[in-house]
Amino acid sequence: MTDAPMVGSMPTSAPSRGGATVFDVHDVSVHYGDFRAVRDVSMQVKQHQITAFIGPSGCGKSTMLRCFNRMNDLIDTARVEGDISYHGVDLYDPAVNPVEVRRRIGMVFQKPNPFPKSIYDNVAYGPKVAGAKGNLDDVVEQALQGAALWDEVKDRLKESGMSLSGGQQQRLCIARAIATDPEVLLMDEPCSALDPIATGRIEDLMVEIKERYTIIIVTHNMQQAARVSDRTAFFTTEVSEESDRRTGLLVEFSDTDKIFTNPADERTENYVTGRFG
Amino acid sequence: MALTTPAAQVGAIVPEQVRRQLTGRRSDTAGRIFQAVLIGAVAASVAVLGVLVYDMVQTGSGTLTGRLGDFLTGSLRSQPGESGLLQGLRGTFYIGVFTVVFAFPIGVGAAIYLEEYASKSRLSRFIDLNIRNLAGVPSVVYGILGLAIFVKALGSFTGPSSQGRSLISAGLTLAILVLPIVIITASEALRAVPGSLREAGYGVGATRWEVTRDHVLPYAAPGILTGTVLALARAMGEAAPLILVGAVTGFLSGGTELDPTTLGDRFTAMPIIITTWAGRPGPEWEQATAAAIVVLLVVVLLANAVAILLRNHYEKKRG
Amino acid sequence: MSDLTTPAAYTLEDFRGSRKRMRTEHLVRAVLFLAALLSIVISVLIVASLVGEAWTFVSQVEAASLWSDGWFPRRGIYDIKTLLTGTLIVTVIAMAVAMPLGLGAAIYLSEYAPAGVRKLLKPVLEILAGIPSVVLGFFALTFLSPVIVQRLSSEATQFNIAAAGIGVGILTIPLVASISEDAMRSVPAALREASYGLGARKITTTIRVVIPAAVSGLVAAFIVAVSRAIGETMVVFIAAGATGGSLFSTDPFKPGQTMTAAIASQAAGTDQVRGAGLTFQSLFFVALLLFAITLVLNVLAGRFVQRVRQAY
Ligand SMILES: Nc1ncnc2c1ncn2[C@@H]1O[C@H](COP(=O)(O)OP(=O)(O)OP(=O)(O)O)[C@@H](O)[C@H]1O
Ligand SMILES: [Mg+2]
């Protein structure tokens, strides 16, 4: 962990690489107490791609996303069934330490949530708790450059992260996430609290950094999904027979182009053309 | 109502009439009397505080202005004009120390466990309920606990020279008494920490303790501190448990040293001195008692005021 | 740093995490758990320390001495009804003082007070709550007794139950005010607006809408205040005057004894609990009774508070 992540120093001509499977999801259902929020999700997430989750509110996009870094462990009532493997390792094996998972699979939240600490400390925190010793200046600088924030904050690293604008705060959160040198970034509606300009910057950033990371993004903005993602998963809800409650399920998962131009499922078509939801 | 009158009729209504309808209320006598009664209730409550403080300062002023230094640094005597509070101040000081040393860390630790670690299991709900009920147990019952455990059962440890009737017994008893208060206020402070802050910490791969130590506790610190100061003030003002664990209500020789090796000896404390003096006849003892009360009030109310201001300050800052 | 072209071959070992960090985590968790568990230990100790001696008392005391005409433990006379009556009278007087004042203050603060006034008054009430009970005991004895009680009744002695009751009442005003105010403030604004929308006046809205909606919380405030009054020791100990013991009496203008003051006065003065026969054990018996009564009241109050939470 002492070697700094090489973000920002990527050759711009590197070809896009798909192929290797990062997550292999098989028949995953998630319950909150007695309530089944999503059922029977199976999918494969490929390396160095941006995968978008779209679908109506409450269909379990966030719930699914939080399965990938075991964030659901923090909710007392949440229970995950089925298999999720990460490069062949069962993420829910009892021997797996969720803390290690989260260091390798970073997360960016809907509302920017910097720590009420300095910009520097925000970024340095992850490496520090992971055991990084010595001077973290390089790590901090490269992470901030990787999040396209360095130029704006390099002269005020000691100022509070809360003093930044909303868009800057969200990029600070991205910097904080990539400072631990993760392989995957999970983003749950990262732009929903931002104005169009800040949103544009983050979208550009995502496309830029996908050479280094595998990204899964939840979004309600279909243009955003179409613009940035390689693959798109469409979720929806159905009302279960036994109870009145809605359960989410994965309807269709394929190349983004196909989802938006030639979806296989009628429900997908209705949703992307705005006839539903 | 006038404002929803159909448009067709609007022309018929003279502005003067509308104004009268909107402003010319029925004279609301009942309402005004009710409000006056309410204000009376508030005024009476506040007045009690005012009268009490004024009365104490008034009665105690002779002693306080005449021989303040003497009064604070002298020992208990048989004459009201010579008696001082030093032994009581020392006892109350050490009771405060015991509270901070025991109730604060244990109480905050318990609150952290209940709020940050425990799942909402049956055990943690039971512990929660138990703490709420402990907070309502009368202080004299805690005194009985102290008497049975620290004085009788553990007397040879808590006070070999005093048969257990020592400041150690008293301090531990009062630390137990305020423990539920510390836990409850600390829990409230922890619950006020936004979940997004915790998620941020977990999201970069911090452990539960790291998230708690680095993010949750700093955020909750002002609230926890406020609760602790309130608990401290409560402990320093309690008398009933001290009577049970054998605080000296009469004459006490010694008990003036700050040296902690004397903690096993017999002791007294401010509220005990006040209780004892209050029972003695004559205006001189009354003046001395009032003066002692002013000293205790300064300590206790100052602590309270600091705690309240601290809390209000941070509440405002966080919106 | 992981290779960019080929995915790292991960094994479970990579996800175990640092041994040292996990050890700290487990250790901290265990320590915090013990801290939380201590509260249960304390409860058990309270009950255990009460029950043993109380049982000795119950099994050895002569039944006749439990129903006589006074509470004089050092002489073997343990008339419980003397203490219960004294406690009841103090509590009734205390509630007669605290309920109207506390409730009135709560209604004013919650419904009428402008924000600025409220911000000023709340801390004042909180400071009132912070006054040690010995102070109120002395105040009851030297101020409330001569200035109020002895004017009400020329028969009143200097030490009397009434002054102690008023003192205890003053002590519980902030408690009543704060619980009731919380209850009324948690009544949704929409309910008030609906009432105003019908053209109701403020007094009507307060009395017909807000107070009924908050009634569970007001009941809780009352029960908690009763429990607190029953458990209050020092005001009665200082101002009600019956130190050695007390004859059965229902006269609030005469000295009297409550359960709490009876416990404290056995311990005071002699610097150690002693006396003939079962004096020591009788304390534990009274304390157990006191503990049981307040526990029942607190659990009951908790139920009512719960109801407020569920409603809104
Ligand atoms: N902590 C929780 N406890 C209980 N139920 C929950 C919890 N979190 C989410 N749910 C339920 O699970 C279902 C899926 O929620 P989720 O947040 O995953 O949906 P979403 O697709 O992300 O919706 P949105 O687009 O509004 O963010 C919803 O019905 C929600 O009410
Ligand atoms: Mg969501």
Side-chain angles (χ1 to χ4, degrees), chain A residues 32 35 37 55-64 75 77 110 189 220:
Chain A
Y32 292 110
F35 168 55
S57 198
C59 64
K61 305 179 296 292
S62 303
T63 300
M64 261 322 287
I75 299 170
T77 55
Q110 179 167 356
E189 302 185 43
H220 273 285

Side-chain angles (χ1 to χ4, degrees), chain A residues 66 76 99 102 113 117 125, chain B residues 120 196 199 202 205 214-215:
Chain A
R66 294 162 63 93
D76 276 345
V99 168
R102 295 184 198 123
N113 57 353
K117 298 183 189 302
Y125 184 70
Chain B
K120 291 288 159 270
S196 62
E199 283 192 327
Y202 289 121
D214 298 334
H215 306 298

Side-chain angles (χ1 to χ4, degrees), chain C:
Chain C
M1 178 141 308
S2 58
D3 194 307
L4 286 176
T5 46
T6 53
Y10 284 120
T11 65
L12 266 181
E13 277 314 305
D14 296 312
F15 290 94
R16 282 191 199 281
S18 138
R19 216 33 96 56
K20 185 163 161 274
R21 258 173 112 193
M22 290 312 120
R23 216 177 310 130
T24 311
E25 183 65 24
H26 288 307
L27 190 70
V28 168
R29 187 188 187 98
V31 169
L32 296 176
F33 177 68
L34 287 182
L37 205 62
L38 188 64
S39 70
I40 306 243
V41 175
I42 290 171
S43 298
V44 171
L45 285 179
I46 289 179
V47 173
S49 59
L50 290 177
V51 167
E53 303 286 359
W55 176 247
T56 311
F57 176 78
V58 171
S59 56
Q60 294 185 9
V61 75
E62 285 171 48
S65 69
L66 285 175
W67 200 264
S68 43
D69 50 4
W71 175 262
F72 298 98
R74 282 168 212 202
R75 300 193 334 234
I77 301 172
Y78 309 102
D79 179 40
I80 288 291
K81 75 173 182 299
T82 301
L83 301 186
L84 291 176
T85 311
T87 302
L88 184 70
I89 298 173
V90 165
T91 305
V92 168
I93 295 173
M95 290 306 104
V97 172
M99 284 314 285
L101 292 183
L103 213 55
I107 297 173
Y108 179 73
L109 287 176
S110 157
E111 305 299 312
Y112 283 83
V117 176
R118 188 169 177 277
K119 240 191 346 232
L120 207 75
L121 282 177
K122 287 249 344 169
V124 174
L125 282 179
E126 280 175 303
I127 288 192
L128 187 59
I131 291 188
S133 56
V134 286
V135 175
L136 264 158
F138 181 71
F139 183 65
L141 178 66
T142 59
F143 187 89
L144 298 177
S145 175
V147 174
I148 297 179
V149 179
Q150 291 186 319
R151 282 204 195 139
L152 287 176
S153 158
S154 53
E155 308 276 275
T157 47
Q158 186 200 356
F159 293 93
N160 62 67
I161 282 277
I166 299 173
V168 175
I170 292 172
L171 213 56
T172 50
I173 291 174
L175 200 64
V176 174
S178 107
I179 301 177
S180 315
E181 199 214 344
D182 280 350
M184 284 189 282
R185 283 176 79 82
S186 66
V187 172
L191 266 182
R192 291 187 187 88
E193 278 154 21
S195 171
Y196 290 133
L198 293 171
R201 290 173 301 165
K202 190 152 202 164
I203 175 174
T204 320
T205 305
T206 302
I207 293 178
R208 292 272 167 78
V209 177
V210 178
I211 290 180
V215 75
S216 287
L218 305 186
V219 173
F222 175 73
I223 300 174
V224 171
V226 167
S227 163
R228 178 73 202 276
I230 291 176
E232 171 50 42
T233 308
M234 295 316 292
V235 177
V236 185
F237 180 80
I238 293 174
T243 35
S246 169
L247 279 171
F248 178 79
S249 154
T250 52
D251 185 350
F253 299 112
K254 291 275 149 6
Q257 189 84 302
T258 60
M259 289 190 279
T260 51
I263 296 171
S265 47
Q266 292 322 306
T270 60
D271 289 343
Q272 190 168 17
V273 182
R274 62 167 168 241
L278 295 168
T279 307
F280 181 72
Q281 286 78 9
S282 74
L283 287 190
F284 286 74
F285 175 71
V286 177
L288 182 62
L289 206 58
L290 186 65
F291 175 75
I293 294 172
T294 51
L295 181 66
V296 168
L297 289 173
N298 291 333
V299 170
L300 204 64
R303 290 274 161 83
F304 279 99
V305 169
Q306 207 70 42
R307 220 185 273 177
V308 179
R309 293 224 185 94
Q310 274 161 10
Y312 306 112

Side-chain angles (χ1 to χ4, degrees), chain B residues 52-172:
Chain B
L52 187 150
V53 171
Y54 176 80
D55 187 37
M56 296 305 148
V57 172
Q58 178 82 358
T59 314
S61 62
T63 307
L64 289 174
T65 52
R67 53 181 198 97
L68 182 64
D70 218 30
F71 190 58
L72 294 177
T73 57
S75 295
L76 294 168
R77 296 277 162 73
S78 54
Q79 291 304 311
E82 298 169 357
S83 263
L85 298 175
L86 187 60
Q87 291 141 313
L89 288 170
R90 172 230 184 213
T92 294
F93 167 76
Y94 268 118
I95 284 165
V97 171
F98 269 90
T99 312
V100 170
V101 170
F102 289 95
F104 173 69
I106 296 176
V108 174
I112 292 174
Y113 182 79
L114 292 173
E115 296 301 322
E116 304 295 320
Y117 280 78
S119 57
K120 291 288 159 270
S121 66
R122 204 171 287 177
L123 176 66
S124 71
R125 251 178 306 172
F126 178 69
I127 294 180
D128 219 53
L129 180 74
N130 185 253
I131 288 165
R132 265 161 223 295
N133 287 329
L134 276 181
V137 171
S139 59
V140 70
V141 173
Y142 281 99
I144 295 269
L145 172 76
L147 172 64
I149 306 289
F150 299 125
V151 178
K152 297 282 170 198
L154 303 174
S156 47
F157 301 104
T158 55
S161 61
S162 61
Q163 294 168 280
R165 293 167 290 157
S166 66
L167 258 181
I168 296 178
S169 298
L172 291 175

Side-chain angles (χ1 to χ4, degrees), chain A residues 37-50:
Chain A
V38 266
R39 66 167 177 87
D40 307 328
V41 175
S42 296
M43 65 187 344
Q44 291 194 331
V45 176
K46 301 286 184 193
Q47 202 170 30
H48 301 305
Q49 287 193 339
I50 298 180

